Amino acid sequence: MKPLALFVVAAAASLSGAAALAADAQQLLKDKACLACHTVDKKLVGPAYKEVAAKYRSRKDAEAHLTKKIKEGSTGVWGQVPMPPNAVSDADAQTLAKYIRALK
């Protein structure tokens, strides 16, 4: 296979992987009631996911940090309203963290 063809195949695989991640994460956001307090692009009770992505974009451990925050909750990062701990698996929390980090 020629280099350009390999690039096209790799890009298509990457896009389908990103689409699968987004679909999985969006279903988790619904199933775990995350959307009761958050939206992708505007503040509700908690910050918009795009704001979260921007805040942690330069952090090297952002995915692990967000995974922990999703599972354990937090207080005082975005104001006085606490985010309660969420009963999600490590894998689900990591899926959500990856999705949030990918938002622009």
Side-chain angles (χ1 to χ4, degrees):
M1 201 176 271
K2 294 185 178 191
L4 180 57
L6 287 174
F7 174 77
V8 171
V9 169
S14 176
L15 287 175
S16 74
L21 172 67
D24 290 346
Q26 289 169 2
Q27 189 61 51
L28 283 170
L29 292 174
K30 292 175 189 169
D31 292 349
K32 303 300 181 181
C34 303
L35 299 175
C37 296
H38 299 277
T39 70
V40 170
D41 55 2
K42 66 180 179 183
K43 179 178 176 17
L44 200 55
V45 175
Y49 289 128
K50 286 183 178 182
E51 289 179 89
V52 176
K55 180 176 183 115
Y56 296 110
R57 185 156 286 121
S58 64
R59 203 176 157 145
K60 291 182 193 278
D61 68 338
E63 186 176 312
H65 180 74
L66 290 173
T67 298
K68 182 177 179 181
K69 294 272 188 193
I70 290 166
K71 287 192 60 83
E72 297 178 6
S74 66
T75 303
V77 177
W78 297 92
Q80 295 306 310
V81 178
M83 183 172 112
N86 291 281
V88 296
S89 69
D90 290 343
D92 287 349
Q94 188 173 27
T95 295
L96 291 169
K98 282 181 183 180
Y99 171 72
I100 292 166
R101 286 202 60 227
L103 296 172
K104 303 273 187 246

